[in-house]
Amino acid sequence: MSVQQIIQSLHQLANVHEHLLKLSKLKTEAIKEGSIDNMQNVIVQERKEIKQLEQAESIREKQVSDWFAKNGISQEDISITFLLDHIDQVDEREKLGNITIRLTKLITELKQQEQLNQLLINQSMKFIQLSLDMLNPSIQNINYGNQKQYGAEAQKRSIFDSKA
């Protein structure tokens, strides 16, 4: 297993994360517009991208594990930093470092975008709940007059007429 294959896998992961970031931004627009159809389309596309992400990640994990095994290095400390320390070629080390930085930035930006989407959805749900609360009158507001007076009469009355 060569480092070049690991670099290619990381490029593929970065590309999938770029697609997910674009979809996340489309999701933000769909939430702002209140378009359920657009939201559903984005979610379907997102699921496809997530499947590709899972496949690319499993390939990358296998390649890194194989590289560590091939080079006789303990697999306890599998990390990019550890891998970078054990690569002899400067060119490969630089490429691996660059793609790692790119992937990290994409993941961070995607996480922030999804947090924004979550906040927007929570605000929408609060607005809906507030609107429903305003439309549905509460029991206390249905009766007019002195509530204590009606409460006392209701307690005196019984379901069964005991005098009958």
Side-chain angles (χ1 to χ4, degrees):
M1 189 60 48
S2 73
V3 175
Q4 193 60 35
Q5 290 174 326
I6 295 171
I7 293 170
Q8 288 296 350
S9 292
L10 289 172
H11 274 292
Q12 186 176 1
L13 280 170
N15 290 338
V16 173
H17 277 88
E18 280 181 355
H19 290 268
L20 283 170
L21 182 59
K22 288 177 186 174
L23 289 173
S24 185
K25 289 179 180 181
L26 288 175
K27 194 183 336 178
T28 302
E29 292 304 315
I31 293 169
K32 287 178 182 178
E33 294 171 0
S35 174
I36 294 174
D37 293 334
N38 288 345
M39 183 72 147
Q40 287 175 339
N41 291 334
V42 169
I43 289 172
V44 168
Q45 292 174 357
E46 201 174 46
R47 286 183 184 150
K48 291 177 185 176
E49 290 295 324
I50 289 171
K51 285 182 184 178
Q52 287 182 354
L53 178 69
E54 289 170 349
Q55 291 172 350
E57 179 61 20
S58 67
I59 290 169
R60 185 208 54 84
E61 285 176 359
K62 184 179 181 332
Q63 289 174 342
V64 171
S65 180
D66 290 349
W67 186 89
F68 275 82
K70 178 183 169 188
N71 290 302
I73 301 171
S74 171
Q75 295 190 8
E76 293 175 8
D77 298 325
I78 294 180
S79 68
I80 295 294
T81 306
F82 195 77
L83 183 63
L84 283 168
D85 291 340
H86 288 82
I87 296 175
D88 296 329
Q89 295 181 355
V90 175
D91 184 42
E92 286 182 342
R93 189 179 318 140
E94 187 177 313
K95 286 180 183 178
L96 184 62
N98 289 339
I99 189 60
T100 303
I101 290 169
R102 178 177 168 230
L103 183 58
T104 303
K105 286 180 181 179
L106 284 169
I107 291 170
T108 303
E109 191 175 350
L110 179 61
K111 184 176 179 180
Q112 290 172 346
Q113 188 67 37
E114 284 299 311
Q115 287 174 344
L116 172 64
N117 288 344
Q118 184 66 40
L119 286 172
L120 289 173
I121 289 172
N122 286 341
Q123 286 180 351
S124 297
M125 294 299 291
K126 286 179 182 177
F127 178 75
I128 290 170
Q129 187 62 46
L130 177 66
S131 298
L132 287 174
D133 289 345
M134 289 174 54
L135 290 174
N136 292 330
S138 68
I139 301 237
Q140 294 173 351
N141 294 336
I142 291 176
N143 297 328
Y144 296 101
N146 189 354
Q147 294 295 325
K148 293 179 184 177
Q149 176 185 0
Y150 295 117
E153 287 180 16
Q155 288 176 355
K156 290 180 185 176
R157 281 187 257 148
S158 174
I159 296 174
F160 301 105
D161 188 6
S162 59
K163 293 182 181 179

